[in-house]
């Protein structure tokens, strides 16, 4: 008895001729590589205006940062940033973080310029900085009290979205020119928004 393979429309599947198995393997591997690179480049939601270097092992900080506990150049929302923890630019000499004294500061290590956004005047032992889900900047005290808070202007459309691998919006990013921005996805349009934190929070 001769067995005939049928397709979804119950039509006979005709044998293909001159199919080189080696060429087929190369084709499949190439297609897989293209798809993989596309996912890494654009992220799960297909929007990727930033560099997707979220692996700390990829970062190298120069000797100018030796006195700072550099952890990354980005920081997620609802993630505690304790004392002596800094975002450090991957080039040049900028840091943003919580000092060993519990102050929330930005510094240009090349010029010595320093901005103190919050000063731990109440001598909290273990204060930390974090970003709320709706984009507020807060310093939290030993007993969970809000010591300092800054709202992101009049923006009401900030909320959770998957943005890039390892970082969900909203999150902050310290750029190589020292500018730190808050990134989020507009809940209405779905567009990517990045705002300079100095202007957004009137710092």
């Amino acid at each position: 008895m001769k067995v005939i393979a049928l397709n979804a429309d119950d039509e006979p599947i005709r044998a293909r001729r001159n199919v080189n198995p080696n060429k087929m393997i190369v084709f499949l591997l190439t297609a897989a590589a293209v798809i993989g690179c596309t996912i890494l480049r654009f992220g799960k939601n297909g929007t990727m205006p930033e560099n997707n270097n979220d692996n700390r092992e990829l970062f190298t900080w120069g000797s100018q940062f030796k006195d700072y506990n550099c952890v990354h150049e980005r920081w997620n929302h609802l993630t505690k940033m304790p004392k002596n923890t800094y975002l450090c630019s991957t080039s040049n000499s900028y840091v943003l973080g919580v000092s060993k004294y519990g102050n929330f500061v930005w510094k240009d290590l090349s010029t010595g310029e320093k901005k103190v956004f919050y000063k731990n005047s109440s001598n909290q032992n273990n204060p930390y900085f974090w970003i709320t889900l709706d984009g507020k900047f807060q310093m939290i005290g030993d007993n969970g009290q809000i010591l300092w808070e800054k709202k992101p202007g009049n923006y009401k459309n900030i909320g959770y979205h998957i943005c890039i691998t390892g970082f969900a919006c909203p999150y902050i990013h310290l750029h190589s020119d020292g500018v730190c921005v808050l990134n989020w996805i507009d809940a209405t349009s779905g567009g990517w928004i990045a705002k300079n934190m100095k202007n957004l929070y009137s710092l």
Side-chain angles (χ1 to χ4, degrees):
M1 178 182 293
K2 184 178 180 180
V3 178
I4 300 176
L6 303 177
N7 63 15
D9 296 320
D10 288 337
E11 296 175 349
I13 299 176
R14 298 179 180 179
R16 298 179 182 272
R17 298 181 179 179
N18 300 323
V19 176
N20 188 321
N22 292 329
K23 290 184 178 179
M24 181 61 69
I25 292 174
V26 171
F27 171 79
L28 292 175
L29 290 175
T30 302
V34 170
I35 293 172
C37 290
T38 301
I39 292 174
L40 288 175
R41 174 67 182 87
F42 292 100
K44 294 181 179 179
N45 68 343
T47 304
M48 186 42 211
E50 291 205 334
N51 293 326
N52 195 10
N53 295 332
D54 63 300
N55 188 339
R56 183 178 176 182
E57 294 179 357
L58 297 178
F59 289 88
T60 301
W61 287 284
S63 59
Q64 69 270 34
F65 296 110
K66 62 182 177 62
D67 296 326
Y68 298 87
N69 178 29
C70 297
V71 295
H72 212 283
E73 62 176 11
R74 296 180 176 93
W75 196 261
N76 257 328
H77 67 273
L78 298 183
T79 303
K80 297 178 181 179
M81 181 184 288
K83 290 196 299 185
N84 194 31
T85 303
Y86 292 90
L87 301 185
C88 301
S89 59
T90 52
S91 61
N92 300 318
S93 305
Y94 301 101
V95 298
L96 173 75
V98 182
S99 72
K100 63 182 179 182
Y101 303 109
N103 304 326
F104 184 49
V105 301
W106 173 95
K107 294 181 181 180
D108 180 346
L109 304 183
S110 64
T111 65
E113 182 183 0
K114 177 180 178 181
K115 297 177 182 179
V116 179
F117 304 123
Y118 166 78
K119 185 174 179 59
N120 185 20
S121 55
S122 58
N123 295 318
Q124 298 286 312
N125 293 319
N126 295 295
Y128 62 85
F129 165 83
W130 74 353
I131 308 162
T132 65
L133 191 59
D134 58 356
K136 296 185 185 76
F137 278 10
Q138 293 181 343
M139 287 294 300
I140 306 298
D142 297 335
N143 297 317
Q145 72 274 35
I146 299 175
L147 304 172
W148 173 83
E149 180 179 87
K150 283 286 186 177
K151 296 180 180 180
N154 295 319
Y155 287 96
K156 307 294 184 183
N157 59 349
I158 300 175
Y160 176 85
H161 287 86
I162 296 175
C163 290
I164 61 175
T165 305
F167 290 88
C169 287
Y171 71 89
I172 55 175
H173 182 188
L174 180 62
H175 289 187
S176 59
D177 59 0
V179 173
C180 187
V181 302
L182 181 76
N183 295 279
W184 76 91
I185 302 296
D186 186 284
T188 303
S189 68
W192 186 289
I193 299 178
K195 295 290 184 180
N196 186 329
M197 77 172 205
K198 178 182 177 181
N199 302 325
L200 185 62
Y201 297 95
S202 300
L203 295 173

